[in-house]
PDB file of all heavy atoms in Angstrom:
ATOM      1  N   GLU Z   3       0.123  -8.241   1.919  1.00  0.00           N
ATOM      2  CA  GLU Z   3       0.525  -9.376   1.102  1.00  0.00           C
ATOM      3  C   GLU Z   3      -0.486  -9.619  -0.015  1.00  0.00           C
ATOM      4  O   GLU Z   3      -1.570  -9.052  -0.021  1.00  0.00           O
ATOM      5  CB  GLU Z   3       0.658 -10.629   1.969  1.00  0.00           C
ATOM      6  CG  GLU Z   3       1.749 -10.524   3.028  1.00  0.00           C
ATOM      7  CD  GLU Z   3       1.849 -11.776   3.872  1.00  0.00           C
ATOM      8  OE1 GLU Z   3       0.802 -12.464   4.029  1.00  0.00           O
ATOM      9  OE2 GLU Z   3       2.948 -12.082   4.383  1.00  0.00           O
ATOM     10  N   GLY Z   4      -0.099 -10.475  -0.942  1.00  0.00           N
ATOM     11  CA  GLY Z   4      -1.007 -10.913  -1.993  1.00  0.00           C
ATOM     12  C   GLY Z   4      -1.224  -9.886  -3.089  1.00  0.00           C
ATOM     13  O   GLY Z   4      -0.336  -9.093  -3.412  1.00  0.00           O
ATOM     14  N   GLU Z   5      -2.449  -9.906  -3.639  1.00  0.00           N
ATOM     15  CA  GLU Z   5      -2.767  -9.068  -4.794  1.00  0.00           C
ATOM     16  C   GLU Z   5      -2.629  -7.585  -4.493  1.00  0.00           C
ATOM     17  O   GLU Z   5      -2.131  -6.818  -5.318  1.00  0.00           O
ATOM     18  CB  GLU Z   5      -4.192  -9.372  -5.273  1.00  0.00           C
ATOM     19  CG  GLU Z   5      -4.585  -8.623  -6.537  1.00  0.00           C
ATOM     20  CD  GLU Z   5      -5.981  -8.971  -7.011  1.00  0.00           C
ATOM     21  OE1 GLU Z   5      -6.548  -9.972  -6.514  1.00  0.00           O
ATOM     22  OE2 GLU Z   5      -6.511  -8.245  -7.875  1.00  0.00           O
ATOM     23  N   ALA Z   6      -3.056  -7.171  -3.301  1.00  0.00           N
ATOM     24  CA  ALA Z   6      -2.962  -5.751  -2.940  1.00  0.00           C
ATOM     25  C   ALA Z   6      -1.511  -5.303  -2.902  1.00  0.00           C
ATOM     26  O   ALA Z   6      -1.158  -4.208  -3.377  1.00  0.00           O
ATOM     27  CB  ALA Z   6      -3.634  -5.505  -1.599  1.00  0.00           C
ATOM     28  N   ALA Z   7      -0.634  -6.148  -2.340  1.00  0.00           N
ATOM     29  CA  ALA Z   7       0.785  -5.808  -2.283  1.00  0.00           C
ATOM     30  C   ALA Z   7       1.395  -5.783  -3.682  1.00  0.00           C
ATOM     31  O   ALA Z   7       2.223  -4.919  -4.004  1.00  0.00           O
ATOM     32  CB  ALA Z   7       1.520  -6.805  -1.398  1.00  0.00           C
ATOM     33  N   HIS Z   8       0.992  -6.737  -4.505  1.00  0.00           N
ATOM     34  CA  HIS Z   8       1.498  -6.774  -5.882  1.00  0.00           C
ATOM     35  C   HIS Z   8       1.108  -5.501  -6.632  1.00  0.00           C
ATOM     36  O   HIS Z   8       1.912  -4.910  -7.348  1.00  0.00           O
ATOM     37  CB  HIS Z   8       0.953  -8.007  -6.605  1.00  0.00           C
ATOM     38  CG  HIS Z   8       1.416  -8.124  -8.016  1.00  0.00           C
ATOM     39  ND1 HIS Z   8       2.636  -8.657  -8.367  1.00  0.00           N
ATOM     40  CD2 HIS Z   8       0.830  -7.746  -9.197  1.00  0.00           C
ATOM     41  CE1 HIS Z   8       2.785  -8.613  -9.698  1.00  0.00           C
ATOM     42  NE2 HIS Z   8       1.690  -8.068 -10.205  1.00  0.00           N
ATOM     43  N   HIS Z   9      -0.147  -5.088  -6.458  1.00  0.00           N
ATOM     44  CA  HIS Z   9      -0.618  -3.875  -7.140  1.00  0.00           C
ATOM     45  C   HIS Z   9       0.147  -2.652  -6.643  1.00  0.00           C
ATOM     46  O   HIS Z   9       0.571  -1.814  -7.451  1.00  0.00           O
ATOM     47  CB  HIS Z   9      -2.116  -3.698  -6.881  1.00  0.00           C
ATOM     48  CG  HIS Z   9      -2.703  -2.486  -7.525  1.00  0.00           C
ATOM     49  ND1 HIS Z   9      -3.012  -2.439  -8.869  1.00  0.00           N
ATOM     50  CD2 HIS Z   9      -3.033  -1.264  -7.013  1.00  0.00           C
ATOM     51  CE1 HIS Z   9      -3.508  -1.242  -9.163  1.00  0.00           C
ATOM     52  NE2 HIS Z   9      -3.526  -0.516  -8.053  1.00  0.00           N
ATOM     53  N   LEU Z  10       0.331  -2.572  -5.339  1.00  0.00           N
ATOM     54  CA  LEU Z  10       1.037  -1.428  -4.783  1.00  0.00           C
ATOM     55  C   LEU Z  10       2.490  -1.387  -5.233  1.00  0.00           C
ATOM     56  O   LEU Z  10       3.015  -0.340  -5.616  1.00  0.00           O
ATOM     57  CB  LEU Z  10       0.961  -1.471  -3.252  1.00  0.00           C
ATOM     58  CG  LEU Z  10       1.591  -0.305  -2.500  1.00  0.00           C
ATOM     59  CD1 LEU Z  10       0.902   1.005  -2.857  1.00  0.00           C
ATOM     60  CD2 LEU Z  10       1.508  -0.532  -0.995  1.00  0.00           C
ATOM     61  N   GLY Z  11       3.137  -2.552  -5.214  1.00  0.00           N
ATOM     62  CA  GLY Z  11       4.556  -2.583  -5.546  1.00  0.00           C
ATOM     63  C   GLY Z  11       4.851  -2.542  -7.025  1.00  0.00           C
ATOM     64  O   GLY Z  11       5.797  -1.862  -7.458  1.00  0.00           O
ATOM     65  N   ARG Z  12       4.051  -3.265  -7.832  1.00  0.00           N
ATOM     66  CA  ARG Z  12       4.371  -3.396  -9.259  1.00  0.00           C
ATOM     67  C   ARG Z  12       3.634  -2.411 -10.151  1.00  0.00           C
ATOM     68  O   ARG Z  12       4.164  -1.969 -11.161  1.00  0.00           O
ATOM     69  CB  ARG Z  12       4.063  -4.835  -9.717  1.00  0.00           C
ATOM     70  CG  ARG Z  12       4.852  -5.884  -8.970  1.00  0.00           C
ATOM     71  CD  ARG Z  12       6.344  -5.651  -9.049  1.00  0.00           C
ATOM     72  NE  ARG Z  12       7.080  -6.564  -8.170  1.00  0.00           N
ATOM     73  CZ  ARG Z  12       8.379  -6.494  -7.953  1.00  0.00           C
ATOM     74  NH1 ARG Z  12       9.087  -5.527  -8.518  1.00  0.00           N
ATOM     75  NH2 ARG Z  12       8.956  -7.346  -7.139  1.00  0.00           N
ATOM     76  N   VAL Z  13       2.401  -2.104  -9.790  1.00  0.00           N
ATOM     77  CA  VAL Z  13       1.616  -1.184 -10.624  1.00  0.00           C
ATOM     78  C   VAL Z  13       1.833   0.263 -10.178  1.00  0.00           C
ATOM     79  O   VAL Z  13       2.121   1.140 -10.991  1.00  0.00           O
ATOM     80  CB  VAL Z  13       0.116  -1.550 -10.572  1.00  0.00           C
ATOM     81  CG1 VAL Z  13      -0.695  -0.567 -11.419  1.00  0.00           C
ATOM     82  CG2 VAL Z  13      -0.098  -2.981 -11.054  1.00  0.00           C
ATOM     83  N   LEU Z  14       1.693   0.502  -8.878  1.00  0.00           N
ATOM     84  CA  LEU Z  14       1.871   1.860  -8.364  1.00  0.00           C
ATOM     85  C   LEU Z  14       3.337   2.190  -8.068  1.00  0.00           C
ATOM     86  O   LEU Z  14       3.663   3.336  -7.778  1.00  0.00           O
ATOM     87  CB  LEU Z  14       1.037   2.052  -7.090  1.00  0.00           C
ATOM     88  CG  LEU Z  14      -0.471   1.865  -7.260  1.00  0.00           C
ATOM     89  CD1 LEU Z  14      -1.183   2.099  -5.948  1.00  0.00           C
ATOM     90  CD2 LEU Z  14      -1.026   2.788  -8.341  1.00  0.00           C
ATOM     91  N   ARG Z  15       4.196   1.163  -8.117  1.00  0.00           N
ATOM     92  CA  ARG Z  15       5.647   1.332  -7.947  1.00  0.00           C
ATOM     93  C   ARG Z  15       6.000   2.021  -6.624  1.00  0.00           C
ATOM     94  O   ARG Z  15       6.745   3.008  -6.582  1.00  0.00           O
ATOM     95  CB  ARG Z  15       6.249   2.107  -9.131  1.00  0.00           C
ATOM     96  CG  ARG Z  15       6.023   1.406 -10.464  1.00  0.00           C
ATOM     97  CD  ARG Z  15       6.737   2.128 -11.607  1.00  0.00           C
ATOM     98  NE  ARG Z  15       6.492   1.471 -12.882  1.00  0.00           N
ATOM     99  CZ  ARG Z  15       7.138   0.397 -13.319  1.00  0.00           C
ATOM    100  NH1 ARG Z  15       8.076  -0.142 -12.565  1.00  0.00           N
ATOM    101  NH2 ARG Z  15       6.858  -0.129 -14.500  1.00  0.00           N
ATOM    102  N   ALA Z  16       5.427   1.494  -5.555  1.00  0.00           N
ATOM    103  CA  ALA Z  16       5.743   2.023  -4.225  1.00  0.00           C
ATOM    104  C   ALA Z  16       7.225   1.844  -3.924  1.00  0.00           C
ATOM    105  O   ALA Z  16       7.850   0.848  -4.338  1.00  0.00           O
ATOM    106  CB  ALA Z  16       4.908   1.307  -3.174  1.00  0.00           C
ATOM    107  N   GLN Z  17       7.773   2.793  -3.208  1.00  0.00           N
ATOM    108  CA  GLN Z  17       9.187   2.752  -2.847  1.00  0.00           C
ATOM    109  C   GLN Z  17       9.349   3.013  -1.358  1.00  0.00           C
ATOM    110  O   GLN Z  17       8.506   3.661  -0.721  1.00  0.00           O
ATOM    111  CB  GLN Z  17       9.972   3.808  -3.641  1.00  0.00           C
ATOM    112  CG  GLN Z  17       9.950   3.583  -5.151  1.00  0.00           C
ATOM    113  CD  GLN Z  17      10.718   4.654  -5.901  1.00  0.00           C
ATOM    114  OE1 GLN Z  17      11.324   5.529  -5.286  1.00  0.00           O
ATOM    115  NE2 GLN Z  17      10.708   4.571  -7.219  1.00  0.00           N
ATOM    116  N   ALA Z  18      10.442   2.509  -0.812  1.00  0.00           N
ATOM    117  CA  ALA Z  18      10.729   2.725   0.605  1.00  0.00           C
ATOM    118  C   ALA Z  18      10.765   4.217   0.904  1.00  0.00           C
ATOM    119  O   ALA Z  18      11.295   5.014   0.132  1.00  0.00           O
ATOM    120  CB  ALA Z  18      12.064   2.074   0.968  1.00  0.00           C
ATOM    121  N   GLY Z  19      10.139   4.571   2.027  1.00  0.00           N
ATOM    122  CA  GLY Z  19      10.089   5.965   2.443  1.00  0.00           C
ATOM    123  C   GLY Z  19       8.793   6.661   2.112  1.00  0.00           C
ATOM    124  O   GLY Z  19       8.468   7.690   2.725  1.00  0.00           O
ATOM    125  N   GLN Z  20       8.029   6.125   1.143  1.00  0.00           N
ATOM    126  CA  GLN Z  20       6.737   6.737   0.816  1.00  0.00           C
ATOM    127  C   GLN Z  20       5.730   6.485   1.935  1.00  0.00           C
ATOM    128  O   GLN Z  20       5.788   5.470   2.628  1.00  0.00           O
ATOM    129  CB  GLN Z  20       6.202   6.185  -0.508  1.00  0.00           C
ATOM    130  CG  GLN Z  20       7.010   6.608  -1.722  1.00  0.00           C
ATOM    131  CD  GLN Z  20       6.444   6.026  -3.008  1.00  0.00           C
ATOM    132  OE1 GLN Z  20       5.874   4.947  -3.013  1.00  0.00           O
ATOM    133  NE2 GLN Z  20       6.619   6.757  -4.096  1.00  0.00           N
ATOM    134  N   VAL Z  21       4.790   7.421   2.077  1.00  0.00           N
ATOM    135  CA  VAL Z  21       3.797   7.333   3.156  1.00  0.00           C
ATOM    136  C   VAL Z  21       2.414   7.107   2.558  1.00  0.00           C
ATOM    137  O   VAL Z  21       2.024   7.783   1.598  1.00  0.00           O
ATOM    138  CB  VAL Z  21       3.808   8.615   4.014  1.00  0.00           C
ATOM    139  CG1 VAL Z  21       2.706   8.571   5.064  1.00  0.00           C
ATOM    140  CG2 VAL Z  21       5.174   8.780   4.688  1.00  0.00           C
ATOM    141  N   TYR Z  22       1.681   6.146   3.131  1.00  0.00           N
ATOM    142  CA  TYR Z  22       0.335   5.817   2.686  1.00  0.00           C
ATOM    143  C   TYR Z  22      -0.607   5.823   3.889  1.00  0.00           C
ATOM    144  O   TYR Z  22      -0.167   5.756   5.038  1.00  0.00           O
ATOM    145  CB  TYR Z  22       0.297   4.428   2.032  1.00  0.00           C
ATOM    146  CG  TYR Z  22       0.953   4.365   0.680  1.00  0.00           C
ATOM    147  CD1 TYR Z  22       2.335   4.168   0.579  1.00  0.00           C
ATOM    148  CD2 TYR Z  22       0.212   4.498  -0.485  1.00  0.00           C
ATOM    149  CE1 TYR Z  22       2.947   4.104  -0.666  1.00  0.00           C
ATOM    150  CE2 TYR Z  22       0.815   4.430  -1.728  1.00  0.00           C
ATOM    151  CZ  TYR Z  22       2.180   4.238  -1.817  1.00  0.00           C
ATOM    152  OH  TYR Z  22       2.784   4.185  -3.050  1.00  0.00           O
ATOM    153  N   GLU Z  23      -1.903   5.893   3.594  1.00  0.00           N
ATOM    154  CA  GLU Z  23      -2.922   5.692   4.615  1.00  0.00           C
ATOM    155  C   GLU Z  23      -3.379   4.240   4.556  1.00  0.00           C
ATOM    156  O   GLU Z  23      -3.740   3.746   3.490  1.00  0.00           O
ATOM    157  CB  GLU Z  23      -4.120   6.619   4.391  1.00  0.00           C
ATOM    158  CG  GLU Z  23      -3.810   8.088   4.601  1.00  0.00           C
ATOM    159  CD  GLU Z  23      -5.030   8.964   4.391  1.00  0.00           C
ATOM    160  OE1 GLU Z  23      -6.147   8.406   4.251  1.00  0.00           O
ATOM    161  OE2 GLU Z  23      -4.884  10.193   4.366  1.00  0.00           O
ATOM    162  N   LEU Z  24      -3.379   3.560   5.693  1.00  0.00           N
ATOM    163  CA  LEU Z  24      -3.822   2.174   5.771  1.00  0.00           C
ATOM    164  C   LEU Z  24      -5.030   2.073   6.695  1.00  0.00           C
ATOM    165  O   LEU Z  24      -5.105   2.763   7.713  1.00  0.00           O
ATOM    166  CB  LEU Z  24      -2.707   1.277   6.316  1.00  0.00           C
ATOM    167  CG  LEU Z  24      -1.399   1.209   5.524  1.00  0.00           C
ATOM    168  CD1 LEU Z  24      -0.450   0.204   6.184  1.00  0.00           C
ATOM    169  CD2 LEU Z  24      -1.646   0.836   4.077  1.00  0.00           C
ATOM    170  N   SER Z  25      -5.969   1.198   6.327  1.00  0.00           N
ATOM    171  CA  SER Z  25      -7.160   1.009   7.143  1.00  0.00           C
ATOM    172  C   SER Z  25      -7.422  -0.472   7.332  1.00  0.00           C
ATOM    173  O   SER Z  25      -7.228  -1.280   6.418  1.00  0.00           O
ATOM    174  CB  SER Z  25      -8.374   1.653   6.479  1.00  0.00           C
ATOM    175  OG  SER Z  25      -9.563   1.300   7.168  1.00  0.00           O
ATOM    176  N   ASP Z  26      -7.883  -0.842   8.530  1.00  0.00           N
ATOM    177  CA  ASP Z  26      -8.291  -2.218   8.819  1.00  0.00           C
ATOM    178  C   ASP Z  26      -9.806  -2.352   8.865  1.00  0.00           C
ATOM    179  O   ASP Z  26     -10.346  -3.364   9.301  1.00  0.00           O
ATOM    180  CB  ASP Z  26      -7.677  -2.698  10.128  1.00  0.00           C
ATOM    181  CG  ASP Z  26      -8.113  -1.869  11.330  1.00  0.00           C
ATOM    182  OD1 ASP Z  26      -8.915  -0.929  11.146  1.00  0.00           O
ATOM    183  OD2 ASP Z  26      -7.662  -2.165  12.444  1.00  0.00           O
ATOM    184  N   GLY Z  27     -10.510  -1.327   8.417  1.00  0.00           N
ATOM    185  CA  GLY Z  27     -11.966  -1.340   8.444  1.00  0.00           C
ATOM    186  C   GLY Z  27     -12.551  -0.639   9.648  1.00  0.00           C
ATOM    187  O   GLY Z  27     -13.754  -0.410   9.712  1.00  0.00           O
ATOM    188  N   ALA Z  28     -11.699  -0.289  10.614  1.00  0.00           N
ATOM    189  CA  ALA Z  28     -12.165   0.426  11.793  1.00  0.00           C
ATOM    190  C   ALA Z  28     -11.286   1.627  12.118  1.00  0.00           C
ATOM    191  O   ALA Z  28     -11.764   2.627  12.638  1.00  0.00           O
ATOM    192  CB  ALA Z  28     -12.210  -0.519  12.993  1.00  0.00           C
ATOM    193  N   HIS Z  29     -10.002   1.528  11.808  1.00  0.00           N
ATOM    194  CA  HIS Z  29      -9.048   2.587  12.123  1.00  0.00           C
ATOM    195  C   HIS Z  29      -8.249   2.947  10.876  1.00  0.00           C
ATOM    196  O   HIS Z  29      -8.127   2.143   9.942  1.00  0.00           O
ATOM    197  CB  HIS Z  29      -8.087   2.152  13.235  1.00  0.00           C
ATOM    198  CG  HIS Z  29      -8.772   1.707  14.486  1.00  0.00           C
ATOM    199  ND1 HIS Z  29      -9.151   0.400  14.700  1.00  0.00           N
ATOM    200  CD2 HIS Z  29      -9.174   2.399  15.574  1.00  0.00           C
ATOM    201  CE1 HIS Z  29      -9.747   0.299  15.868  1.00  0.00           C
ATOM    202  NE2 HIS Z  29      -9.780   1.503  16.421  1.00  0.00           N
ATOM    203  N   VAL Z  30      -7.698   4.151  10.878  1.00  0.00           N
ATOM    204  CA  VAL Z  30      -6.848   4.611   9.776  1.00  0.00           C
ATOM    205  C   VAL Z  30      -5.535   5.108  10.368  1.00  0.00           C
ATOM    206  O   VAL Z  30      -5.537   5.858  11.354  1.00  0.00           O
ATOM    207  CB  VAL Z  30      -7.521   5.759   8.981  1.00  0.00           C
ATOM    208  CG1 VAL Z  30      -6.620   6.211   7.830  1.00  0.00           C
ATOM    209  CG2 VAL Z  30      -8.871   5.314   8.436  1.00  0.00           C
ATOM    210  N   ARG Z  31      -4.433   4.677   9.770  1.00  0.00           N
ATOM    211  CA  ARG Z  31      -3.118   5.139  10.212  1.00  0.00           C
ATOM    212  C   ARG Z  31      -2.276   5.547   9.019  1.00  0.00           C
ATOM    213  O   ARG Z  31      -2.397   4.984   7.931  1.00  0.00           O
ATOM    214  CB  ARG Z  31      -2.367   4.031  10.959  1.00  0.00           C
ATOM    215  CG  ARG Z  31      -2.811   3.792  12.385  1.00  0.00           C
ATOM    216  CD  ARG Z  31      -1.935   2.747  13.040  1.00  0.00           C
ATOM    217  NE  ARG Z  31      -2.275   2.534  14.430  1.00  0.00           N
ATOM    218  CZ  ARG Z  31      -1.749   3.215  15.445  1.00  0.00           C
ATOM    219  NH1 ARG Z  31      -0.838   4.150  15.185  1.00  0.00           N
ATOM    220  NH2 ARG Z  31      -2.101   2.968  16.688  1.00  0.00           N
TER     221      ARG Z  31
END
């Protein structure tokens, strides 16, 4: 949510089905 989501959706134009790496500071999925 928030600024990170806005950047991903509006600037990087993420679309359903695309795969990303996400991290919570301890794990990566």
